[in-house]
Amino acid sequence: MAFPDPFAIDFAYELANQLRTLPVEARIALAEVLEAVAYDPVGSGVRYLATLPEEWRLMFFGDGAGMVAYVVSAKHRRLYVTHITWAG
């Protein structure tokens, strides 16, 4: 049985500096979550807000210390990460 190719992941430009400053454990936890999301973007996470389209999703990572928000573009098979919060 073949698995589908994962969705590509793009980060908002504004997140570049934040990604570099995250602790190692946060970056590892984020990478693990995004890898899982890339294979099942709409089935993963939860809807960001009820007032936004279904494609706007969020997921917690790092035992709940982090949150990542992303938009799913099924047409382009891409995830666009718009927000990361780390409180660990």
Side-chain angles (χ1 to χ4, degrees):
M1 179 173 152
F3 292 101
D5 290 333
F7 280 44
I9 301 171
D10 295 319
F11 290 88
Y13 176 79
E14 299 80 17
L15 297 178
N17 287 335
Q18 183 183 7
L19 287 169
R20 286 192 284 270
T21 62
L22 285 175
V24 172
E25 67 271 13
R27 283 184 276 161
I28 291 170
L30 177 62
E32 289 171 352
V33 161
L34 289 177
E35 181 179 15
V37 169
Y39 280 98
D40 185 14
V42 176
S44 299
V46 296
R47 194 169 181 171
Y48 191 80
L49 291 171
T51 57
L52 293 174
E54 180 76 20
E55 294 83 9
W56 287 75
R57 315 286 296 163
L58 71 85
M59 190 148 182
F60 296 97
F61 65 95
D63 294 326
M67 183 200 81
V68 59
Y70 55 95
V71 180
V72 178
S73 174
K75 178 180 178 181
H76 301 288
R77 296 192 53 81
R78 299 188 92 68
L79 300 175
Y80 186 66
V81 179
T82 61
H83 180 84
I84 299 169
T85 297
W86 178 254

